[in-house]
Structure formats: C-alpha cells, structure tokens
Amino acid sequence: MKRKALFIIVFIVLHWSVRTQDMLGISNSNYAGVYGISMNPSSMVTNRLYMDFNLIGLQGFAVSNYIYMQSSEFFQFVRNRTLPVYYTDENEKRNYTIDRTNEFKQGAQNLKITGPSAMIVKGRHAFGLTSSFRSVTSVRDLSPEMAIFFYEGIDYDPQHNINYTHDHTTRVNSMAWVELGLSYAYNFHRYRWNSWSAGITLKPLFGNAGLYASTMDGDYYVHNDDSLSVYNGTIEFGLALPVDYETDEALSPLKTRGFGFGVDLGITFQYTEKGHSTAMYSRLCEPPFEEYN
C-alpha cells in the first residue's frame, strides 16, 4: 500500500513535466532502438535490439485552446484529405475556427525530423549516433480580443470603439535547430536479479532560427478598420533568421545562426526474472534478452 501511495504522489508531482513528452509508445518500447535514446540514453543497452539503423523519421504535435476544427470535420480531413471551410464576419474563408470565450489563449508546436541514425550493442556496452532537425513554438496568454482580431482582421466591427487595457505578459517564442548526438551506455552492475545501466548523450546544437516577443502591458483603442491608437505599451522583440539583413535575401534554412551544447543523462534499473547469463558470446546477436518484472 505504501508503494502505491508513493507512486501516486510521484506521478502527481511529475505530471506537468511528463505530459510534454511525445512518441511515448515507441520511446518506452523494448524495441525503441535509436528512438529511445532521446528519452533515456541508457535504454540502448537494455532493449531487445542489438543493432538499429534509421534513415528518416517524423514526429510532431500541436496543441491549442484557440484554433480548432469540429471533430467530425477533422476525421473527414483524415479520411478524405478535405479541409473544412469556415467563414469570418467579413465572409473570408478559413480552414479552421477559433474559440471565442473570454479566456487567454495558449498554444504550442513541436516538430522533430530524425535523420540518419544508428546504434549498436556489444555485450554490456552500447554506442549510438543520431541526427535530427527540431522546431518548437509556444504562445502564452494571448488576450481574447487580440486572438479574434488575428482571425477576423482589424475590420471586425464588434470590437471597434473599445478601450483595451492589459497588465499581463503575452509571450511568443520559436526556435529551430539541427541536433547531433553521440551516445554511450554501460550495464555497470549485474548481480543476481538486479541490473543497473547508465547512459550519456553529448549533443552539439546548430541554431538555424530564433524569435521571441513579449508584451508586458498595453493600452489601446481600435477606432475602425484603418485606425488604431496605442496609448501605452512595453514590448521586447528579438530574432535571428536565415536572412541576409543587409539585402533581405533569404538564405538556406539550415544556415547556422548560433551554436549550443546539450547533455542528456539517464539511468535504468531492472529486476530481472531469471538472473543473468554468464555464458561467453562471440557474436553481437547471440546474447538473449533478459526479461524483467
């Protein structure tokens, strides 16, 4: 009973971080291979694959309390590849609609394209090399009337002749980068039914684009479709895009605009069902998978 209570407490505490993970089905699988490395680099030496190669893979998600489709139209889009059509107040076509409740809007997008990658397991050691392109975007606390203006346009009459005042912060952040990974894992302790493994991934990061904008406060009045008065506002803005700022010429989207470095550390404990094999093996594929509880 104590273990169950502890598990529930830990789950509740970690809930806000674990909900951001994606591809859980394959990343936690015993056949995860290179896809398990990003979740936990020590998984290389504990999964069923002794060798894994990846040419290309795609994962992504988007979540928002602002933009949506009706569920029936979404399934129609999945089946027939036919986008729904919605109309603004000015009869302009849109392929989505919006939530118009008086609630601050949030949104996030995460895209990862996994490029050529490989891993190999040799006894109690495992090695991996991964490559990927990643893109993330988040929008936090966008005011309801501003969200409607983005959808309808400034010519939305119901929101004219109103003085809007805000004392909250709206944030928009976006990044895109190429990520390389060099991974190593080691099954460092095996005794009876206990097995402990540790792993590390060193990741050079090559930034391609970045953007952020924050509005700390605002006081504005929309008179009509071509007149807007801003009485007060504090805005921070910054960007680094694949563009030649002197000529406005677009550069390669993979051009490096900045450099960074990351490290992933992971550890795995397994309580095996039958203990460990002590036989000597000459080929990579010979060691059996050790079932665990």
Side-chain angles (χ1 to χ4, degrees):
M1 186 62 185
K2 290 182 178 180
R3 289 184 178 180
K4 290 183 178 179
L6 179 61
F7 173 80
I8 292 172
I9 292 172
V10 171
F11 179 81
I12 292 174
V13 170
L14 295 180
H15 173 263
W16 297 108
S17 59
V18 299
R19 71 173 184 166
T20 63
Q21 301 291 354
D22 52 318
M23 288 190 75
L24 290 178
I26 189 172
S27 297
N28 287 322
S29 166
N30 287 327
Y31 296 90
V34 295
Y35 286 100
I37 296 175
S38 61
M39 182 71 72
N40 187 340
S42 68
S43 68
M44 289 191 299
V45 80
T46 62
N47 75 107
R48 287 182 179 272
L49 304 180
Y50 70 91
M51 187 181 297
D52 187 30
F53 296 95
N54 177 80
L55 293 179
I56 190 168
L58 173 67
Q59 67 186 77
F61 73 86
V63 60
S64 171
N65 66 347
Y66 169 46
I67 296 173
Y68 72 94
M69 297 180 187
Q70 298 292 341
S71 57
S72 59
E73 293 172 327
F74 173 76
F75 288 116
Q76 181 180 346
F77 166 69
V78 173
R79 288 193 300 265
N80 305 326
R81 302 296 188 270
T82 302
L83 285 169
V85 177
Y86 301 91
Y87 294 91
T88 67
D89 197 59
E90 294 293 324
N91 211 35
E92 296 177 349
K93 290 184 179 180
R94 300 283 191 269
N95 296 125
Y96 58 91
T97 188
I98 61 172
D99 175 40
R100 297 172 183 267
T101 59
N102 190 29
E103 178 183 8
F104 287 102
K105 309 307 177 185
Q106 325 287 342
Q109 163 269 324
N110 190 328
L111 173 69
K112 181 178 182 180
I113 301 174
T114 304
S117 305
M119 58 151 279
I120 189 170
V121 182
K122 180 174 176 57
R124 297 168 69 173
H125 304 267
F127 308 88
L129 181 64
T130 56
S131 65
S132 62
F133 172 81
R134 304 192 62 184
S135 170
V136 296
T137 302
S138 68
V139 179
R140 297 187 60 186
D141 296 331
L142 180 66
S143 63
E145 79 281 351
M146 188 63 70
I148 293 176
F149 274 132
F150 280 133
Y151 184 80
E152 295 281 354
I154 197 173
D155 53 357
Y156 185 57
D157 290 337
Q159 291 190 166
H160 289 169
N161 299 311
I162 300 175
N163 198 129
Y164 296 102
T165 303
H166 302 295
D167 58 0
H168 68 281
T169 301
T170 298
R171 292 184 175 90
V172 178
N173 301 280
S174 184
M175 294 167 46
W177 71 97
V178 172
E179 183 174 291
L180 303 180
L182 181 62
S183 305
Y184 170 71
Y186 177 50
N187 180 217
F188 65 90
H189 181 75
R190 298 170 63 182
Y191 182 70
R192 294 190 177 182
W193 294 274
N194 297 329
S195 175
W196 289 87
S197 303
I200 184 173
T201 300
L202 305 178
K203 301 187 299 184
L205 312 173
F206 304 90
N208 308 125
L211 166 72
Y212 83 92
S214 297
T215 60
M216 273 62 77
D217 52 59
D219 184 359
Y220 64 96
Y221 189 97
V222 181
H223 303 276
N224 47 55
D225 60 357
D226 60 4
S227 181
L228 165 69
S229 297
V230 178
Y231 305 119
N232 182 48
T234 304
I235 300 174
E236 290 184 358
F237 179 82
L239 58 83
L241 301 178
V243 174
D244 188 319
Y245 298 136
E246 295 183 358
T247 64
D248 291 334
E249 179 185 359
L251 306 175
S252 168
L254 297 181
K255 179 178 176 58
T256 300
R257 306 292 295 185
F259 179 78
F261 198 82
V263 179
D264 291 342
L265 300 172
I267 191 165
T268 299
F269 168 74
Q270 292 178 327
Y271 186 78
T272 59
E273 291 184 349
K274 299 180 180 179
H276 308 288
S277 171
T278 57
M280 300 294 292
Y281 301 100
S282 58
R283 293 187 296 177
L284 296 176
C285 60
E286 285 186 306
F289 178 75
E290 297 176 345
E291 299 289 348
Y292 58 91
N293 292 314

